[in-house]
Amino acid sequence: MTDSSVSQPNFFEVKKGLFSWIFSLDHKRIGLLYLYSVGSFFLVGAALGVLMRLELFNPGADLIEAKTYNQVFTLHGVIMIFLFIIPSIPAVFGNFFLPIMLGTDDVAFPRLNLLSWWLYVLGALFALSTLVFGDGPADTGWTFYAPYSVKTGTNVSMSVLAAFILGFSSILTGLNFIVTIHRLRAPGMGFNQMPLFAWALYATSWIQLLATPIIGITLLMIVAERMLGIGLFDPSIGGDPILYQHLFWIYSHPAVYIMALPAMGIVSEIIPTFAQRTIFGYKAIAYSSLAIAFVGYFVWGHHMFTSGMSGPAAYIFSILTFFVAIPTSIKVFNWLATMYKGSINVQVPLLYAVAFIFNFLIGGLTGLVVGALAADVHLHDTYFVVGHFHYVMFGGTGFAFFGALHYWYPKIWGKMYNKLIANIAFAILFIGFNTLYFPMLILGIKGMPRRYYDYLPEFHTLNQISTVGSWILIIGLLLMIFNLFKGYFSKQKAPANPWNGITLEWQTQSPPTLYNFDKAPELVEGGPYNYPNAMKG
Amino acid sequence: MEHSFVLPNSGHTYDAKASKLGMWLFLYTELLLFGGLFIVYMVYRSLNPDAFLMASLNLNVWMGTVNTVVLLTSSMTVAMSITAIQLGNSKLSLKLLLITVFAAVVFLVIKYFEWGAKIEHGLWPGMEHFGSLSHGEQLYFYLYFFMTGLHGLHVIVGMIFIVVVMNKIKKGSINKDKNQLLENSGLYWHLVDLIWIYLFPLFYLIH
Ligand code: HEM
Ligand SMILES: [Cu+2]
């Protein structure tokens, strides 16, 4: 099958056919199953986003009316959060590369891994079933706030159950990674010799494990109220909807770090490879992931400054929120210090990594603005918030996801995409992204509320700019995807190590063989990023 | 394709420690699942202390006590079955597991009669008598049905888990040297027990 007599059949070649994929226990195939499913849902979500932007091109209901608009942003939010961004980096690249980077041949529980993908599919079916069954998709916003989520006639139960099942899937992935990291590292690889991507996944997995059950039970309470009449949040009998908000954000704020930490792990891989030198502050980056995960547990109240909260509680939540900025900036400074005076090889993955830093900086700083009490009272539930979280999730994690795709593409498929087109697509995407979301920040400061299909005439121009931005963004996105597909069909093979990386995945052949390594991998002495010929200083 | 070289740290070899670690992590998530409910209970109890007390008088402390004893006993038998298999006595281990499953059934039957009595008295959400209760009492019963119901589901899952394990012991795939799965089912069963140990005083005993 293979051209050269030395190389073993790769993991694509060992077995063929649909069933060899959807029942595969190979962590690499499961990673790719996730890639195809997560990627498809991203496109569906993006289409819904563009639809909303089209409606907002002019004031008034010219494309969709109020209720439909509410359903569209809810479905958009549910898809983007639960079906795209939370599983994105861990389930796709974590599954594919964590075992390889640790120098092993699989995750600790391969069957559980397959189960979590199937649960993902089941959850997705539940979420999409609302399009067909019942009274249409939920119109509550992705936050499902009680009491509206209990009263509305739309099919909230199915969406909520979908989120519950997807949470379960996410827990199983996290559990699998923690055990894998504890038990399957290559002999001689201590925790402090692990690649930083593994560290990031480790911290992420703990959050998945320790936060997700809370939203699970909270969502079950919503279902119980809708289906059995067990009205735990029903204000008419003294139930407390604010309690729902607390429980919801106890998970959903840490969930922000389920989205952000893996992305930071990707950036910590890409930057040393393209600077060809040791990462600056390895331990600081590694432990700051744990610090972010830890502090991130105690800040959920910043989503509720305007829902009624005692003064002291609000101060404390606000101050703690500011603390999260410290470990985050530690990372940013270390990345910059790594690049400073390095022999930088500017390639597409690096561009995405730098774009991550740029966008995440805006996302993070605007986060501090809404984390400050006085400012939040004005900005809460405005487009400022919409701009802020798209900068974090899309501009941050989304761009890191695309960066990872370009970084590991030659390893996964053994082919190379056209670099020129990839650069152009990146530029369009970056410009489109900022044109789409920066105006939202200004709109928010001017007072335009979120979650409306309509707006006052004075917001017209900025909304039009934003919508044009969404068109530019989509062009960049399609060009990027087209280029990646085209690369797959090109005849030219990529070398096993095109970027001169030294973490263990670059020691395998491209694409890797079924069991990844044909001989014990050789660990790099003096840490995973100790480049032998690096320019010092 | 024959695979000649196997890494020393392969994910495909039996690793009891990994499986145990995985189980413990899963138990944390279960504790947190109930943790959310305990928070809700705490908040509502502190807002409606008198109503909760009134409502709790409707429960049958006697039945609750019997169930507590039943579950505690079953926790002991499951622990003994693990020791038995480690000593190589699969037959005894199976017998002890059978007692455990029996105890689980007894627990569920008693629970069934308890719930049945409540429903007969019209205490199920939406029934006529239920509507005449005070708000706090209604919240109490919502919590009672939700939490004991979810716990009951866990009893059923734990039972199925143990039955699966019994089958494997019969087939010999769980044995003296390889019995982590049995231990995991035991851990799960202890969790089910532990949660009940909290539910019992919260609903039946606190005055
Ligand atoms: C194609 C790109 C995208 C476009 C054009 C877009 C557009 C929008 C718009 C206009 C809204 C605001 C609706 C409103 O408040 O009236 C929105 C909400 C939202 N978007 Fe996006 N978005 C895109 C991508 C993403 C991505 C990648 C994510 C997450 C990773 C995301 C997550 C969300 C969430 C969570 C909401 C809030 C939904 C709610 O209010 O319940 N979006 N999006
Ligand atoms: Cu938050």
mmCIF file of all heavy atoms in Angstrom, chain B residues 131-157:
data_model
loop_
_atom_site.group_PDB
_atom_site.id
_atom_site.type_symbol
_atom_site.label_atom_id
_atom_site.label_comp_id
_atom_site.label_asym_id
_atom_site.label_seq_id
_atom_site.Cartn_x
_atom_site.Cartn_y
_atom_site.Cartn_z
ATOM 1 N N GLY B 131 -51.965 20.940 46.680
ATOM 2 C CA GLY B 131 -52.208 22.363 46.487
ATOM 3 C C GLY B 131 -52.552 23.083 47.773
ATOM 4 O O GLY B 131 -52.341 24.287 47.897
ATOM 5 N N SER B 132 -53.077 22.344 48.764
ATOM 6 C CA SER B 132 -53.471 23.002 50.008
ATOM 7 C C SER B 132 -52.307 23.151 50.981
ATOM 8 O O SER B 132 -52.432 23.766 52.025
ATOM 9 C CB SER B 132 -54.599 22.202 50.684
ATOM 10 O OG SER B 132 -54.075 20.981 51.162
ATOM 11 N N LEU B 133 -51.168 22.583 50.637
ATOM 12 C CA LEU B 133 -49.998 22.719 51.512
ATOM 13 C C LEU B 133 -49.446 24.139 51.422
ATOM 14 O O LEU B 133 -49.675 24.842 50.441
ATOM 15 C CB LEU B 133 -48.901 21.741 51.078
ATOM 16 C CG LEU B 133 -49.165 20.248 51.226
ATOM 17 C CD1 LEU B 133 -47.989 19.465 50.657
ATOM 18 C CD2 LEU B 133 -49.386 19.893 52.683
ATOM 19 N N SER B 134 -48.691 24.526 52.443
ATOM 20 C CA SER B 134 -48.045 25.833 52.378
ATOM 21 C C SER B 134 -46.911 25.766 51.357
ATOM 22 O O SER B 134 -46.463 24.688 50.972
ATOM 23 C CB SER B 134 -47.490 26.220 53.747
ATOM 24 O OG SER B 134 -46.310 25.479 54.002
ATOM 25 N N HIS B 135 -46.447 26.949 50.919
ATOM 26 C CA HIS B 135 -45.411 26.987 49.877
ATOM 27 C C HIS B 135 -44.164 26.225 50.282
ATOM 28 O O HIS B 135 -43.605 25.448 49.516
ATOM 29 C CB HIS B 135 -45.062 28.441 49.551
ATOM 30 C CG HIS B 135 -46.163 29.125 48.802
ATOM 31 N ND1 HIS B 135 -46.211 30.483 48.632
ATOM 32 C CD2 HIS B 135 -47.251 28.625 48.182
ATOM 33 C CE1 HIS B 135 -47.287 30.811 47.934
ATOM 34 N NE2 HIS B 135 -47.936 29.693 47.662
ATOM 35 N N GLY B 136 -43.736 26.464 51.516
ATOM 36 C CA GLY B 136 -42.518 25.805 51.987
ATOM 37 C C GLY B 136 -42.666 24.285 51.982
ATOM 38 O O GLY B 136 -41.748 23.560 51.608
ATOM 39 N N GLU B 137 -43.863 23.824 52.377
ATOM 40 C CA GLU B 137 -44.084 22.374 52.391
ATOM 41 C C GLU B 137 -44.041 21.814 50.971
ATOM 42 O O GLU B 137 -43.528 20.725 50.732
ATOM 43 C CB GLU B 137 -45.429 22.055 53.055
ATOM 44 C CG GLU B 137 -45.391 22.237 54.561
ATOM 45 C CD GLU B 137 -46.774 22.068 55.185
ATOM 46 O OE1 GLU B 137 -47.670 22.886 54.850
ATOM 47 O OE2 GLU B 137 -46.958 21.146 55.983
ATOM 48 N N GLN B 138 -44.576 22.588 50.037
ATOM 49 C CA GLN B 138 -44.524 22.121 48.648
ATOM 50 C C GLN B 138 -43.071 21.980 48.193
ATOM 51 O O GLN B 138 -42.692 20.987 47.576
ATOM 52 C CB GLN B 138 -45.265 23.099 47.731
ATOM 53 C CG GLN B 138 -46.761 23.141 48.006
ATOM 54 C CD GLN B 138 -47.524 23.916 46.945
ATOM 55 O OE1 GLN B 138 -46.959 24.343 45.951
ATOM 56 N NE2 GLN B 138 -48.809 24.110 47.168
ATOM 57 N N LEU B 139 -42.262 22.990 48.524
ATOM 58 C CA LEU B 139 -40.851 22.908 48.142
ATOM 59 C C LEU B 139 -40.201 21.680 48.766
ATOM 60 O O LEU B 139 -39.418 20.976 48.131
ATOM 61 C CB LEU B 139 -40.103 24.170 48.595
ATOM 62 C CG LEU B 139 -40.323 25.411 47.737
ATOM 63 C CD1 LEU B 139 -39.624 26.617 48.361
ATOM 64 C CD2 LEU B 139 -39.812 25.191 46.325
ATOM 65 N N TYR B 140 -40.564 21.427 50.011
ATOM 66 C CA TYR B 140 -40.005 20.248 50.685
ATOM 67 C C TYR B 140 -40.322 18.983 49.890
ATOM 68 O O TYR B 140 -39.452 18.155 49.639
ATOM 69 C CB TYR B 140 -40.582 20.146 52.106
ATOM 70 C CG TYR B 140 -40.174 18.888 52.838
ATOM 71 C CD1 TYR B 140 -39.047 18.870 53.652
ATOM 72 C CD2 TYR B 140 -40.931 17.715 52.719
ATOM 73 C CE1 TYR B 140 -38.668 17.714 54.311
ATOM 74 C CE2 TYR B 140 -40.558 16.552 53.373
ATOM 75 C CZ TYR B 140 -39.426 16.561 54.171
ATOM 76 O OH TYR B 140 -39.051 15.413 54.820
ATOM 77 N N PHE B 141 -41.570 18.851 49.476
ATOM 78 C CA PHE B 141 -41.922 17.620 48.764
ATOM 79 C C PHE B 141 -41.321 17.559 47.364
ATOM 80 O O PHE B 141 -40.966 16.490 46.892
ATOM 81 C CB PHE B 141 -43.451 17.417 48.733
ATOM 82 C CG PHE B 141 -43.945 16.801 50.001
ATOM 83 C CD1 PHE B 141 -44.655 17.536 50.931
ATOM 84 C CD2 PHE B 141 -43.628 15.477 50.293
ATOM 85 C CE1 PHE B 141 -45.065 16.965 52.123
ATOM 86 C CE2 PHE B 141 -44.050 14.903 51.488
ATOM 87 C CZ PHE B 141 -44.770 15.650 52.407
ATOM 88 N N TYR B 142 -41.206 18.711 46.724
ATOM 89 C CA TYR B 142 -40.471 18.701 45.449
ATOM 90 C C TYR B 142 -39.081 18.116 45.668
ATOM 91 O O TYR B 142 -38.632 17.240 44.928
ATOM 92 C CB TYR B 142 -40.312 20.127 44.917
ATOM 93 C CG TYR B 142 -41.552 20.709 44.286
ATOM 94 C CD1 TYR B 142 -41.737 22.097 44.252
ATOM 95 C CD2 TYR B 142 -42.505 19.903 43.693
ATOM 96 C CE1 TYR B 142 -42.853 22.653 43.660
ATOM 97 C CE2 TYR B 142 -43.630 20.454 43.095
ATOM 98 C CZ TYR B 142 -43.800 21.834 43.090
ATOM 99 O OH TYR B 142 -44.898 22.382 42.502
ATOM 100 N N LEU B 143 -38.404 18.637 46.686
ATOM 101 C CA LEU B 143 -37.036 18.175 46.943
ATOM 102 C C LEU B 143 -37.026 16.704 47.336
ATOM 103 O O LEU B 143 -36.174 15.934 46.900
ATOM 104 C CB LEU B 143 -36.400 19.013 48.057
ATOM 105 C CG LEU B 143 -35.848 20.358 47.603
ATOM 106 C CD1 LEU B 143 -35.510 21.226 48.807
ATOM 107 C CD2 LEU B 143 -34.607 20.157 46.744
ATOM 108 N N TYR B 144 -38.009 16.334 48.159
ATOM 109 C CA TYR B 144 -38.062 14.942 48.603
ATOM 110 C C TYR B 144 -38.178 14.004 47.406
ATOM 111 O O TYR B 144 -37.403 13.056 47.260
ATOM 112 C CB TYR B 144 -39.236 14.746 49.567
ATOM 113 C CG TYR B 144 -39.508 13.292 49.876
ATOM 114 C CD1 TYR B 144 -38.682 12.594 50.770
ATOM 115 C CD2 TYR B 144 -40.562 12.609 49.275
ATOM 116 C CE1 TYR B 144 -38.908 11.256 51.034
ATOM 117 C CE2 TYR B 144 -40.795 11.272 49.531
ATOM 118 C CZ TYR B 144 -39.962 10.598 50.415
ATOM 119 O OH TYR B 144 -40.183 9.269 50.674
ATOM 120 N N PHE B 145 -39.124 14.286 46.524
ATOM 121 C CA PHE B 145 -39.315 13.383 45.394
ATOM 122 C C PHE B 145 -38.128 13.434 44.446
ATOM 123 O O PHE B 145 -37.672 12.401 43.943
ATOM 124 C CB PHE B 145 -40.611 13.730 44.637
ATOM 125 C CG PHE B 145 -41.838 13.261 45.357
ATOM 126 C CD1 PHE B 145 -42.807 14.157 45.771
ATOM 127 C CD2 PHE B 145 -42.022 11.911 45.620
ATOM 128 C CE1 PHE B 145 -43.940 13.731 46.442
ATOM 129 C CE2 PHE B 145 -43.159 11.468 46.289
ATOM 130 C CZ PHE B 145 -44.112 12.386 46.700
ATOM 131 N N PHE B 146 -37.611 14.614 44.216
ATOM 132 C CA PHE B 146 -36.495 14.733 43.271
ATOM 133 C C PHE B 146 -35.265 14.008 43.805
ATOM 134 O O PHE B 146 -34.631 13.212 43.108
ATOM 135 C CB PHE B 146 -36.180 16.220 43.041
ATOM 136 C CG PHE B 146 -35.331 16.464 41.826
ATOM 137 C CD1 PHE B 146 -35.901 16.935 40.661
ATOM 138 C CD2 PHE B 146 -33.971 16.229 41.838
ATOM 139 C CE1 PHE B 146 -35.143 17.160 39.521
ATOM 140 C CE2 PHE B 146 -33.201 16.442 40.711
ATOM 141 C CZ PHE B 146 -33.794 16.911 39.547
ATOM 142 N N MET B 147 -34.926 14.263 45.061
ATOM 143 C CA MET B 147 -33.664 13.719 45.575
ATOM 144 C C MET B 147 -33.755 12.223 45.843
ATOM 145 O O MET B 147 -32.860 11.467 45.478
ATOM 146 C CB MET B 147 -33.226 14.490 46.829
ATOM 147 C CG MET B 147 -32.800 15.908 46.502
ATOM 148 S SD MET B 147 -32.453 16.942 47.933
ATOM 149 C CE MET B 147 -30.757 16.547 48.264
ATOM 150 N N THR B 148 -34.848 11.788 46.471
ATOM 151 C CA THR B 148 -34.929 10.340 46.701
ATOM 152 C C THR B 148 -35.156 9.610 45.384
ATOM 153 O O THR B 148 -34.702 8.481 45.210
ATOM 154 C CB THR B 148 -36.039 9.982 47.703
ATOM 155 O OG1 THR B 148 -37.273 10.471 47.209
ATOM 156 C CG2 THR B 148 -35.751 10.555 49.063
ATOM 157 N N GLY B 149 -35.833 10.265 44.445
ATOM 158 C CA GLY B 149 -36.027 9.640 43.136
ATOM 159 C C GLY B 149 -34.698 9.451 42.421
ATOM 160 O O GLY B 149 -34.394 8.373 41.893
ATOM 161 N N LEU B 150 -33.889 10.506 42.404
ATOM 162 C CA LEU B 150 -32.582 10.404 41.755
ATOM 163 C C LEU B 150 -31.720 9.368 42.465
ATOM 164 O O LEU B 150 -31.002 8.581 41.832
ATOM 165 C CB LEU B 150 -31.893 11.774 41.777
ATOM 166 C CG LEU B 150 -30.660 11.887 40.901
ATOM 167 C CD1 LEU B 150 -31.041 11.751 39.437
ATOM 168 C CD2 LEU B 150 -29.966 13.232 41.118
ATOM 169 N N HIS B 151 -31.823 9.352 43.784
ATOM 170 C CA HIS B 151 -31.065 8.336 44.526
ATOM 171 C C HIS B 151 -31.540 6.943 44.153
ATOM 172 O O HIS B 151 -30.739 6.032 43.942
ATOM 173 C CB HIS B 151 -31.196 8.576 46.035
ATOM 174 C CG HIS B 151 -30.494 7.544 46.856
ATOM 175 N ND1 HIS B 151 -31.167 6.504 47.458
ATOM 176 C CD2 HIS B 151 -29.193 7.363 47.136
ATOM 177 C CE1 HIS B 151 -30.302 5.724 48.078
ATOM 178 N NE2 HIS B 151 -29.090 6.222 47.898
ATOM 179 N N GLY B 152 -32.885 6.782 44.054
ATOM 180 C CA GLY B 152 -33.428 5.480 43.663
ATOM 181 C C GLY B 152 -32.881 5.030 42.312
ATOM 182 O O GLY B 152 -32.524 3.865 42.124
ATOM 183 N N LEU B 153 -32.773 5.977 41.373
ATOM 184 C CA LEU B 153 -32.188 5.643 40.066
ATOM 185 C C LEU B 153 -30.763 5.117 40.234
ATOM 186 O O LEU B 153 -30.343 4.166 39.570
ATOM 187 C CB LEU B 153 -32.143 6.884 39.180
ATOM 188 C CG LEU B 153 -33.389 7.193 38.363
ATOM 189 C CD1 LEU B 153 -33.163 8.439 37.536
ATOM 190 C CD2 LEU B 153 -33.696 6.017 37.446
ATOM 191 N N HIS B 154 -30.022 5.761 41.145
ATOM 192 C CA HIS B 154 -28.649 5.312 41.376
ATOM 193 C C HIS B 154 -28.616 3.913 41.972
ATOM 194 O O HIS B 154 -27.721 3.134 41.686
ATOM 195 C CB HIS B 154 -27.911 6.308 42.275
ATOM 196 C CG HIS B 154 -27.409 7.496 41.527
ATOM 197 N ND1 HIS B 154 -28.229 8.498 41.106
ATOM 198 C CD2 HIS B 154 -26.161 7.821 41.093
ATOM 199 C CE1 HIS B 154 -27.512 9.399 40.451
ATOM 200 N NE2 HIS B 154 -26.270 9.016 40.428
ATOM 201 N N VAL B 155 -29.603 3.609 42.826
ATOM 202 C CA VAL B 155 -29.668 2.256 43.382
ATOM 203 C C VAL B 155 -29.835 1.258 42.240
ATOM 204 O O VAL B 155 -29.155 0.222 42.183
ATOM 205 C CB VAL B 155 -30.838 2.131 44.385
ATOM 206 C CG1 VAL B 155 -31.025 0.689 44.817
ATOM 207 C CG2 VAL B 155 -30.585 3.022 45.599
ATOM 208 N N ILE B 156 -30.725 1.605 41.294
ATOM 209 C CA ILE B 156 -30.959 0.681 40.174
ATOM 210 C C ILE B 156 -29.687 0.515 39.339
ATOM 211 O O ILE B 156 -29.288 -0.601 38.996
ATOM 212 C CB ILE B 156 -32.135 1.194 39.303
ATOM 213 C CG1 ILE B 156 -33.425 1.153 40.127
ATOM 214 C CG2 ILE B 156 -32.272 0.360 38.046
ATOM 215 C CD1 ILE B 156 -34.600 1.805 39.455
ATOM 216 N N VAL B 157 -29.035 1.630 39.034
ATOM 217 C CA VAL B 157 -27.793 1.543 38.244
ATOM 218 C C VAL B 157 -26.749 0.703 38.975
ATOM 219 O O VAL B 157 -26.107 -0.185 38.382
ATOM 220 C CB VAL B 157 -27.230 2.955 37.966
ATOM 221 C CG1 VAL B 157 -25.847 2.871 37.332
ATOM 222 C CG2 VAL B 157 -28.169 3.723 37.052
#
